[in-house]
Every structure is written in C-alpha cells, then in structure tokens.
Amino acid sequence: MSQPQCAEAQLAELEMLSSVSPPEAQLAELEMLSSVSPPEAQLAEMEMLSSMFPSEAEFQITDQLALAELREAVERCCSSPPAPPAPHPCRPQFLLKQRVDSDTSSHDGVDVTLSCTYPTNYPNVLPEINVRCTGLNRSQHTLLQADLTQYLRERCRGDVCVLSALDWVKDNAQRYAASSSASCCAAARGEAAAPSGGEAFSRLWIYSHHIYNKSKRKNILEWSKELGLSGFSMPGKPGIVCVEGLQDACEEFWSRVKVLTWKKIMIRHREDATLEEGRGQGEGGVASLRKFSGFEEASFDPHGNRGNHMDLGLLYQFLSERGCGDVFQMYFGVEGR
C-alpha cells in the first residue's frame, strides 16, 4: 500500500475495530494512534469518537473548516515525499455530550459537556478540555476541572486521551454533584474550606509566558464579560491579564483560564478586600473599588519580527493612570518610567 493511502487505511482499520468488543476495540485503537503523526492521531481519534457517538446530540464538530484543514494536514503527512506543514496549523474543536444517571434516588443525574480543542502537537501535549455539568455550582466546577486536568497530566501525556477524559468525568461527576457546597467538596479531598464571610472583592494580576492564540484571547474577553469583571489583557510576550470584581467571579475566571494549555501561567499578585457596610454590598460596593471601567484587550505599540512585543513604557503609563503603577515592578522586577 502506498503512503498516500495511509489515512484511508487508518479509517478502514477503525471500521474493522468497531466490530469487536468495546474494551478490545478501544485498546487496539489507542495503541494504533500512539504510533502515528499528530495530525493522523487527531483525525483518527475524531473518526473513532464519531463512530462511537454517531448522533450530533452526543458528538458535535464545532469548526468544520479546522476539520477540513486537518484532513489536508494528514494528506501532507502521507504524501511521498512528505509535504511541508501548513503555515497556519489547524485547531480542531468539538463537543462531547453525555447524560450521567444517578446511582441513588436522592440525586438527579447530570448532563456533561466536554468542549475539546486540539493543540497543534496533540497528543504530544494535552488537549484543551473544558467541562460543564448541570447541577454543579462554580466551586464544584472548579474542583472537577482541576482534578480532571491533574488526572490527564499524570496518566495521558503522549497518548490520545479525550475518551479517557470523558470516561473519568462520567465516573466522577456524581461525586461532585452530590456535594452541596464548596466546603463539602474540599472536605472530600481533605482540604480546608475557605472562610465564607460576606461578599468580597478581588483583583487578580495574571502573568503568562505569552498570549498569542486567538481562541484563548477570545475566551478571556468573553469570560470576563460573562462574569461581570473589569480589567484588561495584554497579548504578546509576556502576556498580562488583570481581572477585578466579586471574588467568586474572579476565582471562576481563574479556574477556567488556568486549565487551558499554557507554557507558563500564574497569579503574580492579588488584592482582596471585604465589601464594608459603608461601601455597600453587591455591585454598588464593587464599583467603588474598581480601577478599570470595563474589560479590554490593550496593545502598546507592538513591535518585533512577529509584532509580539509591547512598549513597556506605555504599559507603565497605562497602569499609572489607573493607580496601579506599583504592579509594574512586581511583573518585571524594575521600576517603571
């Protein structure tokens, strides 16, 4: 068989594997995918998921253009001689939806949705997987997402793992749904629960090695708007994100951002304050503590070969105008000017 036929051969093999028992099929398919190029492994895994979940109510490809580009990438890999990779690698995206029934009469089942995006080098790096479950509050979602990410880091790096992620969530979602509060979840994991108290205000200063990816930049803008947060994001190298608002909303934003695939990301500095009676509770009290009127993606005279470096002097001026100039030294180790 010639090399240009390798993609078709993989799909034919997947069809053959679908006729054997599920555990044997899954094992054989995963072993096959561990020995091919990233584009081939990605396409084969998507075809496998499509055969397992033929209904669009269970498996939905949300970016058909990226899928077409992935097929072209596989053809490039299989051509003789291999063609050079495309200048702008694709990032396939899809949704997996499952209903997880409760094993007790005291709790309803949950609807689970996995939103999956393949990085270019997946499965050599972990996929971006965000989980949403009906019936879970923010704290429970945060714990579930963090535990899934830890599971994938420990068990799945270097192998296709979306099916493993789905199985893990289906096996464990009820454990989080059964916890009625963040303190119950924390106790189940042997952690101390955060003090409840009244409403609180937070400002998070997040540092990333870089922020280039358009999907991540879009998520940052959309999530900040959804959660009622103000602040800004600065794409490029390094990447900076500041969010401020109700503490629960800031924590939810961070829980979503940190589980995406990053070279390096951390909270460099945080500011927390209790909403005092004199300032009022809720959004009225939050407004008096905000230093940003809304959320924006800010650029400061981009330069460099890729246009990915910002004028840090303009960044310092931007921060100083909003009473945040002291944060500049926390990020860069030098005083701004």
Side-chain angles (χ1 to χ4, degrees), residues 46-61:
M46 291 184 72
E47 294 286 353
M48 177 184 72
L49 293 170
S50 179
S51 67
M52 295 177 63
F53 309 109
S55 170
E56 191 170 320
E58 294 181 303
F59 178 69
Q60 179 183 357
I61 297 173

Side-chain angles (χ1 to χ4, degrees), residues 223-239:
W223 290 342
S224 60
K225 181 179 179 180
E226 174 193 340
L227 297 168
L229 300 173
S230 52
F232 75 98
S233 63
M234 185 186 81
K237 182 180 180 180

Side-chain angles (χ1 to χ4, degrees), residues 12-87:
E13 186 171 358
L14 286 172
E15 292 177 357
M16 177 192 71
L17 289 169
S18 65
S19 64
V20 299
S21 61
E24 294 172 350
Q26 292 177 16
L27 178 60
E29 287 169 314
L30 296 179
E31 287 177 349
M32 180 188 75
L33 299 186
S34 65
S35 60
V36 298
S37 68
E40 292 173 289
Q42 293 172 25
L43 179 59
E45 184 179 39
M46 291 184 72
E47 294 286 353
M48 177 184 72
L49 293 170
S50 179
S51 67
M52 295 177 63
F53 309 109
S55 170
E56 191 170 320
E58 294 181 303
F59 178 69
Q60 179 183 357
I61 297 173
T62 55
D63 191 339
Q64 293 291 341
L65 177 59
L67 177 59
E69 292 174 343
L70 179 61
R71 293 187 185 279
E72 290 183 9
V74 171
E75 292 177 2
R76 288 171 175 268
C77 292
C78 295
S79 63
S80 182

Side-chain angles (χ1 to χ4, degrees), residues 4-168:
Q5 296 174 300
C6 64
E8 288 79 3
Q10 284 184 344
L11 299 184
E13 186 171 358
L14 286 172
E15 292 177 357
M16 177 192 71
L17 289 169
S18 65
S19 64
V20 299
S21 61
E24 294 172 350
Q26 292 177 16
L27 178 60
E29 287 169 314
L30 296 179
E31 287 177 349
M32 180 188 75
L33 299 186
S34 65
S35 60
V36 298
S37 68
E40 292 173 289
Q42 293 172 25
L43 179 59
E45 184 179 39
M46 291 184 72
E47 294 286 353
M48 177 184 72
L49 293 170
S50 179
S51 67
M52 295 177 63
F53 309 109
S55 170
E56 191 170 320
E58 294 181 303
F59 178 69
Q60 179 183 357
I61 297 173
T62 55
D63 191 339
Q64 293 291 341
L65 177 59
L67 177 59
E69 292 174 343
L70 179 61
R71 293 187 185 279
E72 290 183 9
V74 171
E75 292 177 2
R76 288 171 175 268
C77 292
C78 295
S79 63
S80 182
H88 302 290
C90 55
R91 287 171 54 83
Q93 302 174 23
F94 56 89
L95 301 175
L96 279 170
K97 303 176 183 179
Q98 292 282 289
R99 174 71 177 177
V100 181
D101 294 324
S102 175
D103 53 4
T104 66
S105 59
S106 58
H107 298 287
D108 295 330
V110 296
D111 293 317
V112 174
T113 301
L114 269 63
S115 176
C116 307
T117 302
Y118 286 156
T120 304
N121 291 326
Y122 171 78
N124 297 325
V125 297
L126 291 178
E128 297 173 9
I129 299 179
N130 287 306
V131 184
R132 307 307 297 171
C133 295
T134 58
L136 269 63
N137 60 32
R138 288 178 179 175
S139 298
Q140 292 163 341
H141 267 120
T142 299
L143 291 173
L144 174 61
Q145 187 76 59
D147 288 349
L148 171 61
T149 301
Q150 185 63 30
Y151 169 81
L152 294 178
R153 285 173 178 167
E154 293 176 352
R155 306 287 184 87
C156 301
R157 190 178 295 274
D159 296 318
V160 293
C161 61
V162 172
L163 186 60
S164 295
L166 178 62
D167 287 341
W168 186 92

Side-chain angles (χ1 to χ4, degrees), residues 137-139 142 182 194-202 204 227 229 244-256 270 272 286:
N137 60 32
R138 288 178 179 175
S139 298
T142 299
S196 55
E199 286 187 312
F201 174 89
S202 289
L204 306 183
L227 297 168
L229 300 173
E244 60 179 9
L246 287 173
Q247 189 174 81
D248 286 348
C250 288
E251 296 293 351
E252 172 66 12
F253 178 87
W254 173 239
S255 74
R256 298 183 189 182
R270 70 179 295 154
D272 298 301
V286 171

Side-chain angles (χ1 to χ4, degrees), residues 138 216-233 241-246 249-250 252-253 256-257 283 290 293-297:
R138 288 178 179 175
K216 292 177 184 174
R217 291 163 63 179
K218 181 181 178 182
N219 284 339
I220 288 170
L221 291 171
E222 291 181 347
W223 290 342
S224 60
K225 181 179 179 180
E226 174 193 340
L227 297 168
L229 300 173
S230 52
F232 75 98
S233 63
V241 180
C242 171
V243 289
E244 60 179 9
L246 287 173
C250 288
E252 172 66 12
F253 178 87
R256 298 183 189 182
V257 168
E283 184 56 37
R290 292 185 190 271
S293 58
F295 194 94
E296 63 177 318
E297 182 176 273

